Amino acid sequence: MKAFANQNAGSASAAVSRAREAIGRGQSVSFVAGGTDLLQLMKDRVVNRPGSDLPDVLVNLKTIPGLDDVRLSGPDAFTVGGMMTLDALSRHTVIRDEYTVLAEAAESVATPQIRKAGTVAGNVCQRPWCWYYRNGFECHKAGGSVCFSVRGENQLHAIFGGGPSFIVHPSDLAPALVALDASFRIVGPDGQRFLSGADFFVLPSEDAQHENVLRDDEVLVSVELPIRPSEAGVRSAFHKVMDREAWTHALASAAVVLEMDGDVCRTARIVLGGVAPIPWRVPEAEGQLAGKRITPELARRVGEVAIAGARAMSRNAYKIPLTREVVERTVLSLAASA
Amino acid sequence: MSQEQASRPLEAMNTVGRNVPRIDAYERVTGKATYTRDVRLPGMLYARILRSPHPHARIRSIDISRAEALPGVRSVVTHETHQLIYSSGSVAGGRQYNDAAKDITTHLRYMFDNPVRYVGQPVAAVAAVDRHVAEEALQLIDIDYEELPFVIDAERALEPGAALVWPEGNLALDYQNQARPMVRRVGDVSAGLQAADRVFEDRYTTAFVQDGQMEPRSALAEWHGDKVTIHTPTQGISNCRHDNARDLGLEDHQVQIVCKYMGGGFGDKNGSYYFDLIAATLAKEADAPVLLELTRKDDWLGTHGRWHTIQDFKVGVKQDGTVTAIQMHGYSGMGPYLRRSGGISGIEVYACPNTERIIYPVHTNRMVSGNFRAPSDPQGFFAMQSMMDDIAYKLGIDPVDFAKQNMLRPTEDVRFTNYTMEECIERGAQLFDWQGRRRPEPGSDPGPVKRGAGMSFMMFRSGVGPSSAILRVDSEQRYTLFVGVTDIGPGAKTTMALIAAEELGVPLSQVEVVWGDTDRCPYSVGESGSRTTTQTGYAVVQAAIDLKEQIAESGMPTGDEVLIASATPTPSTQGRRRMCFGAHLVEVETDVRLGYVRISKYVAVHESGRILNPLPARDQIRGAALQGIGQALHEDLLYDARNGHPLTAGYYGARHLTHMDAPEIEVTFIETDDGFGPYGAKTVGEAGIILGPAAVANAIFNAIGHRMRDLPITRAKILEALS
Amino acid sequence: MDRKKPEKEPRELPESHEPQEGAHLSRRDFLEGAGAALVVAGGAPKLGVAESRTAVVAPQEAEAVPRTRIRLTVNGTEHRLDVEDRWTLNELLRDHIELTGSKIGCNRGECGACTVLLDGEPIYSCSTLAVWADGRAVQTVEGLEQDGELTPLQQAFIDHDAAQCGFCTPGQLMTATAMLNQNSSPTAGEVREALVGNLCRCSNYNAIVEAVLASTGSGGAP
C-alpha cells in the first residue's frame, strides 16, 4: 500500500479538524471506521473519495469515545452510535425487540468477522460494489464521467432511480434505517446537522459521484431512531436475497416497518435495497396497506405496486419479479407474526 | 512380467483400510506447517509483478528508470531486460509433460511477452526491500501501449474477420503444429443419425472456473553459485525442476525445487510457472533471495482455470430409447496460449457405435486456461448427460433406465480390469430412493417450492504407469521413504507411508517420509492426473518388496549400515482399461419465484478399487462434489466484451461456496481389488468432481420442468427462464 | 443468549504520527508535472500501471513512511513494537513477530484464512491495521496449544480429517475456538453460521463441521 499516517481522533470535532488540516496541506484524507472495506479499496488502488487520491491520512474514528453503543437520547429517540459494530447492533436487546428490521439487516451483512469490525457508519457510507468501480474503471464513482454498466454487464445494477450512474446502494442498514424513519447526525466544520434519509442519500441525477451528501470533511456520527408510542404495535422485518447463502450484497432486499392496530395495518414503510442507487422507498405500495387487514392477495398486490415503476437494463430484468416476490413475502411474514 | 498381484480379501489389512490420521495433521492444526510464504531467508527481498491492463496490446516503450531510482528497489526486469521462454506455459497440442512438444512449439509464451494478449499478463517485475516499496515501484514504471483489436468470444474467434490473437488465426495448433480441431470418430455418425427415429439437437455452454486454491501462489528463489533453489507451491517437484532448468538454460541438477506444504493444487501446478522464472531472474539480478508473492487477483488472472466450452449436440435415438448416434461439435476457450488440451469428455461412457466429436480449442484474449481437477470432464459430462436426460424425458423413459440401456459395458473388444458402472448406479438409486424422489413429470410439484431429482454416472481413467520410490532401513529398524510428492490435500504423504508400512509389515510409526525436495527425492510423475496413489504408490510397494528381499537375504543392517531399495516399475494392464466408476444422485429443492436452489440430498457412490485410507478418501469425494456444486450454481469469470476486462476475479466475484452453501455429501464406496495398483487402489481425487454439475442440473430440470443449458445455473438465469 | 460486554479500560491513545510539512507530494504538484501522467481514453482500469491521479512519493522522501509505537499482547506475550501505519495486523504477526500460522488467502477480507482473535473476537487480520490493535490482545493458531497439549478442537481436527491442504485450517480453528467459547454445544447449523466467514476451497466443509461438533462431545455426524 501507499504510505499513509493513521491519526486517532478523540472526538468528532477533532476528527473533522484533522481532516481539514490534512486537506489544507494538500493531502488526501479518508475517515476510517472498521476499515474492512476502505483497506480493500486502498490495496486495490481504487479511489475512495471522488476527485481525491489514495489517502495520505486516515482519521480513525474508532477511538472516539461514546459512539459505539445504543443510548436513550431523549424521550423520543434512541441514538445508535456510528462506531457501534454490526455484531453488537444485531445482538442488542432493544434493537432486536423494538427495531427488528435493523437487527436483521445488521446480521445479514457479510460474515461474523466483518460484523465484529464493521460499523454502522461505515456500512451506511460504504462505496458501491459495482464491478466496474471496484476494478478501477474511471467511472462517475471514481470521479469520472461515464457509467460502464450502461449497455454493459449490468446484471447487478439499478432498476429504479438510475442515471447517469446505475449502481445499487450497497448498504443493508440503509433501507432499514430509512424504513425506521431514522435521522442521520452529521458533524462537520459548521457543527452538527440532522438529516432524514431522503436528504442524506442522494440520487445520481443530483450527484453522480457520491451516494450521500457527506463532504470530505464531514462525518456520520450517529443515527437516531424515533421511539414510537407503545400502543403503536410496530412490527418490522428485513429480507435479503443473495446469490449464495451469505457474504454477498443484496440482489434485492426489503425493509418493512408496519404499525398495526390489532390485525389491521395502520401505516407501512417499505424500503427496497439492492435495486436503486439509494434506499428506495415505495410510497404507493405502502399506501396499499393503509387501513387494511393483510391477506396473501393484498401482499401480492403490494409487491406488484412496488415494482410498478421499475425499468430493466439489458441484463437485470430478473430483479423485477424478484423484488416483487421479496416485498410480498416480507409483508406476509409480518402479518403472520401477530 | 505380469504386474497383477494376487487380490487380497477386502477387509482392512494391518494399516491399509484403517483410518490413519494424516502424518502431518499436527503441523497443520498448530500453524507449524511451512508453506512457501512461511519460509524466511536472510536478506530476502520481496517482489511484485506489473500486469497488462489491456486484453491485446503492443508495448511501444517501457521505462523503468523511475522505479529503479526508488529507494529500496533492488532490481527491475521486463521483456527488454530478459527474454526467457516460459515453455510449459504454451505447448504444441497442449502436451504438458512433453519436451518434444515444447521443442516444436511456435506460439511461444515468454516470461514477459510483447505483445501482451490478456488482461493480467505480466509485463514487468520489481524486487525491493519490502512488499510496499515493490508495489509503489510498480506505479513508477511507465509503459506506452498500442492497443490492438481483441476477441473474447470463443465462437466468434473462429469467424472470418475476427481479431487475431495469433497471426495465423485463432484455432490452436496441435501436436504437429497444425491448426486442426481434435477429432474422434467411431463408426458412421451420419448413418447413425439416418437410422434414428428421432434426432435431438441442443447447445450447452459452461463457464470458465478458476481453480481457486486457498494459497495464493508465490516463488522464493535463491542462488548458490550457478545453482538455484526455488520454493514454490508445486504439485510436481520433478516436472517443475525440469521445466525451470530448461527455461533458465540450466541442467536439472542445477535447480532444486522445494515444496513441503502447499495450499491446494487441483491439477494446474504440475510443472513450472512463469513466476518461478521471474523470481529466479530477480534473485540473480539483485544477488539476494527473492520472494515473489502473487496477490489473489494476480493469482486469479495470472494463472489458469477450467476452459469454458460451447457444445453443440445432435443425438439420434430409436423410439425404444436406444441411442444410434452422438455428434458433438464444440469449442474450448483456451485463452491466448494452449497450455493444456482443451478436451471435452462425456461421450465415452455410452455404448453408441456411431459417434463423432470435433473440438476446436480456440484462442481468445481471456486469461489462459489450464487443468482443474478432471480437466475435460465435468463440463463435458454436464452437457452430455443433460442432453441424454432431456431425451429420456422426451421419450418418457426413466433416466436410470435410459442410462442402463445405453451405457458402455465390457465386450470382446472393450476389456476392463474390472467393471462396476451399473452397480454404482443401482446402489446409488437404492441409497437415494430414486423412485421416491424423482418426479416422473418434471416441474409437477405445485409451486412455488418444487423438488426434483437427477442423476449422472461415469467412468474415469485410473491407469497404471511409471513412477519411483526409494526406501531405506537402518539398524534401529526405522524406515525412510523418499517420494517426490508434495501433498496438495489428498494426503499423499500419509498414503505413501501407510502403503510402505503395510507391505513391510511394520507399524506406521516406524516409517518416516521424506518428500517435497528434488535434492532428496526421486523422480515422481507429480500429483496430478490421478497418478500418485496408483503409480507412485505402486512404486512404493515394489520398493518395499525389494527391501524385504534384501533383509531376508542379508539380515537387518547393524551399526551404521543401511539397506536401500529403489523401484521404478513400469506396470501394464495388457490392453485392458483400468477405470474407476461412479454415480451421483441429487435432490434439489427450488423456489421458483426466488430462483433459489438448495440441495436437499446428495448421494455419491464410487468404485475406486481398494480404499487405502477411508477418511481422506471420503473427504476427497465430498470436497470434489462440493466444487462440482460450485461449478453448477455459482462460479464464473465475467468479461466485458467491449473492453476485454474481467470483472469478477476473486472469491467474492466468483461466489465460491461457503459453509452455509455446503450440503452434506453422502459417500459410499464399493470396494474391489482388480490386482493392479497398490493393493487394488484406484484414483479418488479427481473422480468426485465429474458428476456434480450434471446431477445438479438434471435435478433442477426435474424440479422446475425447464432445461437449464448454461453453467453456472444462477438465480438470475432461473428467474429469466421461468418468466 | 446475552453476552457480557467486556469491561473496557480507558485506553492510552498511541502517539500518532504528525505528518511533516511536505512529506508527501500534493496532488496539485503531481498533476503539474512531478510525475508522468498517463491518461488513456476509454477509462479502462490500469491494473497497477501509474494512474494519472495517484500521488506518488518522490524518491528522496521515501523514508518518511509514518510509523507508530504500539504495545500488543500476542498469545500471552507482550510486545513493544515500532510499526509502519500501513502494516496490517497480519503482516505484523507474520513478518515481524514470525508467527506464520495465520495465512494470507486473499488480503481482501474475502476468504477468512487470516482470521485471528482480537480480544477474543474473530476478525480478519488482513483487514485490520496493526496500529488499531494497540493495547489489545491477539490470539493466533500458535497460541492454541498449551504446554504441548492440543485443544480438544485441534485434536478433533486431526481425528476427523478436517484439514486437507491445511491452508484454511488456522482460520477455521480460530473462528471455531471463539464460537465454542460463547456456545459450547452448538448445532451443526450454528457451526456453519459461525464459520461462514472461513472459506475452504478443498471444500472440506462437511469434515470441519463434524470435527467441531465432535470436539464438544456431541458426536460427529452433523
Side-chain angles (χ1 to χ4, degrees):
Chain A
M1 280 193 276
K2 175 184 157 189
F4 58 84
N6 175 78
Q7 296 178 6
N8 294 327
S11 69
S13 49
V16 169
S17 305
R18 296 286 202 159
R20 290 179 65 74
E21 284 157 20
I23 293 169
R25 287 189 296 267
Q27 292 179 305
S28 265
V29 61
S30 265
F31 294 109
V32 65
T36 55
D37 196 33
L38 180 64
L39 289 182
Q40 276 207 32
L41 290 172
M42 291 165 65
K43 288 171 188 171
D44 285 336
R45 312 187 85 88
V46 173
V47 167
N48 180 34
R49 300 293 307 175
S52 183
D53 299 319
L54 296 179
D56 302 300
V57 174
L58 294 190
V59 177
N60 181 15
L61 304 175
K62 296 186 286 298
T63 45
I64 301 174
L67 286 188
D68 60 356
D69 206 344
V70 175
R71 32 185 91 170
L72 199 55
S73 48
D76 306 315
F78 277 109
T79 295
V80 178
M83 294 299 108
M84 189 171 192
T85 66
L86 300 172
D87 180 61
L89 184 68
S90 69
R91 293 172 193 269
H92 196 284
T93 38
V94 170
I95 303 295
R96 287 221 71 85
D97 293 342
E98 313 290 336
Y99 303 99
T100 312
V101 61
L102 187 59
E104 290 181 349
E107 75 188 352
S108 80
V109 175
T111 68
Q113 288 95 320
I114 287 175
R115 295 196 289 274
K116 287 181 193 291
T119 64
V120 171
N123 184 270
V124 169
C125 299
Q126 182 185 166
R127 294 310 313 280
W129 276 77
C130 169
W131 40 45
Y132 292 106
Y133 169 65
R134 293 267 164 168
N135 273 295
F137 281 70
E138 281 174 27
C139 65
H140 292 291
K141 295 304 177 184
S145 54
V146 61
C147 176
F148 292 91
S149 75
V150 177
R151 283 185 296 281
E153 301 296 328
N154 50 47
Q155 292 87 327
L156 303 181
H157 293 72
I159 55 173
F160 297 102
S165 161
F166 288 83
I167 57 117
V168 294
H169 200 280
S171 167
D172 292 312
L173 295 194
L177 290 169
V178 173
L180 290 168
D181 198 13
S183 189
F184 294 75
R185 178 170 151 244
I186 298 169
V187 169
D190 306 322
Q192 77 174 12
R193 52 188 178 131
F194 290 83
L195 296 179
S196 67
D199 293 333
F200 179 78
F201 296 103
V202 60
L203 277 171
S205 51
E206 275 180 59
D207 177 354
Q209 295 188 346
H210 300 90
E211 297 79 60
N212 58 58
V213 296
L214 289 175
R215 296 197 313 252
D216 290 356
D217 55 7
E218 291 183 311
V219 182
L220 175 65
V221 171
S222 59
V223 294
E224 300 221 331
L225 305 176
I227 298 177
R228 292 200 165 77
S230 54
E231 67 273 12
V234 175
R235 292 179 212 160
S236 67
F238 182 79
H239 186 145
K240 175 179 175 183
V241 173
M242 295 175 272
D243 53 19
R244 57 178 173 173
E245 291 291 330
W247 213 345
T248 317
H249 288 78
L251 292 179
S253 66
V256 178
V257 178
L258 305 180
E259 266 182 49
M260 305 295 290
D261 192 350
D263 61 351
V264 169
C265 175
R266 248 190 307 129
T267 70
R269 285 174 75 97
I270 302 176
V271 185
L272 307 178
V275 293
I278 60 172
W280 193 256
R281 258 191 88 184
V282 280
E284 293 79 15
E286 294 169 355
Q288 298 293 316
L289 287 164
K292 304 250 188 41
R293 200 171 275 107
I294 301 172
T295 62
E297 295 72 32
L298 179 61
R300 182 129 195 106
R301 175 129 185 80
V302 172
E304 276 162 13
V305 173
I307 61 165
R311 289 183 55 200
M313 301 174 80
S314 55
R315 298 175 208 256
N316 66 1
Y318 73 92
K319 278 197 189 245
I320 299 178
L322 183 63
T323 302
R324 181 198 63 214
E325 205 58 35
V326 172
V327 171
E328 175 188 336
R329 294 196 193 195
T330 312
V331 168
L332 207 51
S333 73
L334 286 175
S337 63
Chain B
M1 139 188 160
S2 168
Q3 304 300 324
E4 255 173 288
Q5 36 203 42
S7 301
R8 296 184 219 200
L10 280 168
E11 67 264 10
M13 301 154 84
N14 291 317
T15 315
V16 161
R18 301 187 184 279
N19 283 327
V20 174
R22 294 163 193 257
I23 57 180
D24 55 7
Y26 169 80
E27 282 76 11
R28 294 185 202 273
V29 303
T30 54
K32 294 186 169 132
T34 47
Y35 298 81
T36 297
R37 289 189 202 186
D38 301 332
V39 177
R40 295 273 179 277
L41 298 177
M44 191 170 83
L45 303 176
Y46 290 79
R48 279 286 196 274
I49 294 175
L50 182 64
R51 294 180 182 272
S52 166
H54 301 293
H56 199 190
R58 185 176 329 277
I59 298 174
R60 284 201 201 99
S61 70
I62 179 164
D63 180 353
I64 59 176
S65 56
R66 290 194 304 136
E68 285 179 313
L70 186 66
V73 169
R74 295 282 182 264
S75 71
V76 183
V77 294
T78 70
H79 75 284
E80 289 182 349
T81 64
H82 296 82
Q83 293 87 41
L84 295 187
I85 295 172
Y86 167 37
S87 59
S88 69
S90 177
V91 189
R95 297 223 172 167
Q96 44 193 359
Y97 311 119
N98 192 314
D99 278 355
K102 289 169 193 161
D103 287 340
I104 64 163
T105 298
T106 55
H107 288 166
L108 293 172
R109 185 173 175 188
Y110 289 82
M111 186 170 74
F112 299 113
D113 275 280
N114 186 17
V116 288
R117 296 186 175 89
Y118 64 97
V119 170
Q121 185 159 18
V123 297
V126 172
V129 293
D130 73 42
R131 62 174 69 85
H132 296 287
V133 174
E135 273 179 30
E136 295 306 302
L138 294 185
Q139 315 309 310
L140 298 175
I141 297 175
D142 302 316
I143 305 185
D144 183 15
Y145 289 101
E146 175 198 344
E147 292 180 57
L148 301 172
F150 62 89
V151 60
I152 295 298
D153 183 284
E155 202 176 1
R156 293 236 186 80
L158 292 183
E159 286 168 9
L164 294 178
V165 181
W166 292 95
E168 317 80 21
N170 296 333
L171 181 56
L173 300 182
D174 67 14
Y175 178 58
Q176 283 147 342
N177 272 335
Q178 301 294 312
R180 289 184 295 211
M182 298 186 282
V183 178
R184 181 175 175 272
R185 290 192 174 98
V186 175
D188 180 342
V189 79
S190 303
L193 289 168
Q194 284 291 317
D197 293 329
R198 295 176 69 175
V199 173
F200 296 90
E201 286 187 55
D202 255 318
R203 164 172 283 202
Y204 288 83
T205 51
T206 67
F208 178 91
V209 174
Q210 229 277 354
D211 294 35
Q213 79 300 327
M214 291 306 301
E215 179 192 11
R217 275 161 267 214
S218 358
L220 168 59
E222 183 181 32
W223 288 86
H224 309 277
D226 67 351
K227 183 174 164 166
V228 66
T229 299
I230 306 177
H231 299 254
T232 184
T234 177
Q235 299 174 239
I237 52 174
S238 305
N239 291 327
C240 183
R241 176 177 68 169
H242 185 66
D243 288 340
N244 277 314
R246 177 193 167 99
D247 294 340
L248 290 169
L250 301 172
E251 300 293 318
D252 280 12
H253 69 86
Q254 291 175 284
V255 177
Q256 177 193 16
I257 302 295
V258 179
C259 179
K260 293 298 189 178
Y261 290 86
M262 63 187 286
F266 309 127
D268 192 52
K269 295 177 172 182
N270 192 352
S272 66
Y273 263 106
Y274 59 84
F275 42 85
D276 301 333
L277 300 173
I278 295 175
T281 306
L282 286 168
K284 188 135 205 125
E285 293 302 308
D287 195 23
V290 169
L291 172 63
L292 172 58
E293 300 170 315
L294 270 64
T295 66
R296 176 52 63 180
K297 193 170 185 181
D298 281 355
D299 187 291
W300 211 274
L301 299 178
T303 64
H304 315 97
R306 185 186 299 288
W307 43 91
H308 60 104
T309 69
I310 300 169
Q311 300 170 51
D312 288 323
F313 285 93
K314 242 190 202 165
V315 177
V317 277
K318 293 280 198 206
Q319 203 54 45
D320 71 356
T322 309
V323 174
T324 59
I326 305 173
Q327 180 191 74
M328 191 277 274
H329 293 172
Y331 304 86
S332 294
M334 305 311 291
Y337 304 97
L338 189 70
R339 176 175 155 84
R340 297 291 184 255
S341 73
I344 304 174
S345 299
I347 292 181
E348 312 75 31
V349 297
Y350 295 100
C352 177
N354 306 300
T355 66
E356 176 183 86
R357 186 181 66 203
I358 300 178
I359 300 169
Y360 297 86
V362 181
H363 289 308
T364 64
N365 296 107
R366 295 187 189 217
M367 63 175 281
V368 183
S369 297
N371 283 348
F372 179 25
R373 214 163 190 174
S376 301
D377 299 81
Q379 60 271 43
F381 275 72
F382 155 73
M384 182 80 263
Q385 296 205 8
S386 292
M387 187 76 193
M388 295 304 203
D389 187 79
D390 214 49
I391 292 170
Y393 277 102
K394 283 172 175 156
L395 296 178
I397 301 175
D398 181 319
V400 165
D401 296 332
F402 190 87
K404 290 192 202 177
Q405 195 173 349
N406 289 293
M407 68 171 60
L408 183 69
R409 294 169 195 284
T411 64
E412 277 288 304
D413 305 310
V414 178
R415 297 179 305 134
F416 295 86
T417 59
N418 74 335
Y419 177 92
T420 57
M421 196 146 70
E422 181 164 12
E423 188 183 342
C424 288
I425 296 177
E426 284 182 337
R427 181 81 87 84
Q430 176 208 19
L431 289 167
F432 177 82
D433 186 16
W434 173 253
Q435 291 308 325
R437 294 180 191 272
R438 178 185 87 99
R439 272 65 179 149
E441 200 189 314
S444 55
D445 281 8
V449 175
K450 296 176 189 268
R451 287 190 174 215
M455 62 82 75
S456 56
F457 65 100
M458 65 140 199
M459 59 184 188
F460 184 74
R461 54 176 164 71
S462 183
V464 299
S467 195
S468 297
I470 296 173
L471 196 50
R472 180 185 72 191
V473 65
D474 63 20
S475 57
E476 290 172 28
Q477 298 196 31
R478 279 183 325 214
Y479 294 84
T480 309
L481 174 63
F482 298 81
V483 277
V485 304
T486 55
D487 195 345
I488 59 177
K493 298 193 279 272
T494 306
T495 310
M496 299 302 112
L498 63 88
I499 291 171
E502 183 69 52
E503 191 60 45
L504 293 165
V506 303
L508 185 62
S509 53
Q510 270 177 258
V511 178
E512 184 201 322
V513 181
V514 173
W515 78 90
D517 182 340
T518 52
D519 275 5
R520 304 187 67 195
C521 304
Y523 171 77
S524 152
V525 292
E527 278 172 73
S528 73
S530 283
R531 293 168 295 166
T532 299
T533 297
T534 49
Q535 293 179 218
T536 306
Y538 187 71
V540 173
V541 171
Q542 299 307 307
I545 290 172
D546 183 334
L547 192 63
K548 282 191 301 186
E549 282 168 6
Q550 291 188 46
I551 293 169
E553 225 179 83
S554 51
M556 272 293 184
T558 55
D560 287 339
E561 290 173 355
V562 293
L563 288 178
I564 297 181
S566 86
T568 305
T570 51
S572 157
T573 59
Q574 251 82 64
R576 279 169 292 175
R577 300 195 196 185
R578 187 166 197 256
M579 315 293 279
C580 67
F581 300 92
H584 285 198
L585 298 99
V586 172
E587 184 191 66
V588 297
E589 182 184 276
T590 66
D591 184 322
V592 295
R593 296 219 293 261
L594 293 175
Y596 179 61
V597 174
R598 181 180 80 85
I599 293 178
S600 44
K601 191 168 182 71
Y602 198 121
V603 166
V605 177
H606 283 269
E607 188 262 287
S608 285
R610 186 189 298 269
I611 299 302
L612 300 178
N613 196 349
L615 285 191
R618 174 202 65 180
D619 290 336
Q620 281 299 294
I621 300 292
R622 297 202 291 192
L626 288 170
Q627 288 181 340
I629 293 169
Q631 178 179 6
L633 299 179
H634 298 289
E635 296 172 40
D636 196 347
L637 180 60
L638 193 62
Y639 274 80
D640 186 317
R642 299 166 302 173
N643 51 53
H645 205 94
L647 299 176
T648 57
Y651 291 121
Y652 175 85
R655 306 286 194 260
H656 278 215
L657 293 188
T658 67
H659 267 284
M660 287 170 68
D661 295 283
E664 195 196 325
I665 310 291
E666 301 168 50
V667 178
T668 297
F669 286 111
I670 296 175
E671 278 200 72
T672 64
D673 182 348
D674 67 351
F676 289 92
Y679 312 111
K682 296 181 185 176
T683 178
V684 177
E686 290 187 273
I689 201 173
I690 296 171
L691 297 180
V696 169
N698 287 342
I700 290 173
F701 171 75
N702 192 240
I704 69 176
H706 190 100
R707 181 68 57 184
M708 303 302 293
R709 296 192 179 86
D710 175 42
L711 293 185
I713 301 170
T714 61
R715 256 190 216 272
K717 290 180 191 170
I718 291 177
L719 286 168
E720 272 162 7
L722 297 178
S723 70
Chain C
M1 174 190 60
D2 274 323
R3 271 186 20 211
K4 263 191 74 135
K5 285 187 62 169
E7 285 300 298
K8 273 201 189 153
E9 287 158 53
R11 280 195 293 130
E12 223 182 80
L13 294 179
E15 293 176 30
S16 72
H17 180 89
E18 292 300 321
Q20 294 157 21
E21 213 43 51
H24 306 272
L25 282 183
S26 74
R27 178 168 160 267
R28 200 179 69 240
D29 290 343
F30 182 76
L31 287 176
E32 285 173 7
L38 287 180
V39 180
V40 175
K46 296 186 192 53
L47 267 198
V49 179
E51 289 190 5
S52 57
R53 291 196 306 268
T54 304
V56 175
V57 178
Q60 67 275 16
E61 286 140 10
E63 291 78 34
V65 172
R67 307 181 73 95
T68 303
R69 280 195 277 284
I70 66 169
R71 283 178 305 122
L72 186 65
T73 303
V74 183
N75 298 330
T77 301
E78 182 171 294
H79 297 263
R80 287 168 189 273
L81 304 146
D82 180 48
V83 305
E84 288 188 15
D85 285 13
R86 64 181 164 184
W87 289 352
T88 62
L89 178 58
N90 181 276
E91 249 178 297
L92 176 65
L93 292 168
R94 285 181 54 80
D95 298 329
H96 305 280
I97 306 182
E98 312 290 316
L99 291 170
T100 59
S102 312
K103 303 302 178 197
I104 282 292
C106 69
N107 205 29
R108 293 292 187 279
E110 291 181 3
C111 79
C114 67
T115 302
V116 301
L117 302 188
L118 185 61
D119 292 339
E121 301 278 35
I123 51 109
Y124 296 142
S125 61
C126 75
S127 301
T128 307
L129 292 182
V131 290
W132 298 341
D134 182 39
R136 301 173 76 175
V138 175
Q139 189 182 22
T140 72
V141 67
E142 291 95 337
L144 291 178
E145 189 181 10
Q146 298 286 330
D147 302 319
E149 273 214 29
L150 298 176
T151 65
L153 182 67
Q154 286 175 299
Q155 188 59 51
F157 265 55
I158 293 174
D159 298 337
H160 291 265
D161 196 49
Q164 286 191 26
C165 82
F167 204 74
C168 77
T169 304
Q172 305 272 359
L173 284 168
M174 297 321 292
T175 307
T177 297
M179 180 204 64
L180 292 171
N181 286 341
Q182 299 290 329
N183 176 4
S184 54
S185 47
T187 63
E190 286 169 341
V191 174
R192 289 188 202 105
E193 279 181 29
L195 267 53
V196 76
N198 291 85
L199 294 185
C200 173
R201 184 48 165 171
C202 295
S203 305
N204 205 23
Y205 291 117
N206 290 181
I208 292 168
V209 173
E210 285 158 8
V212 175
L213 292 174
S215 77
T216 69
S218 66

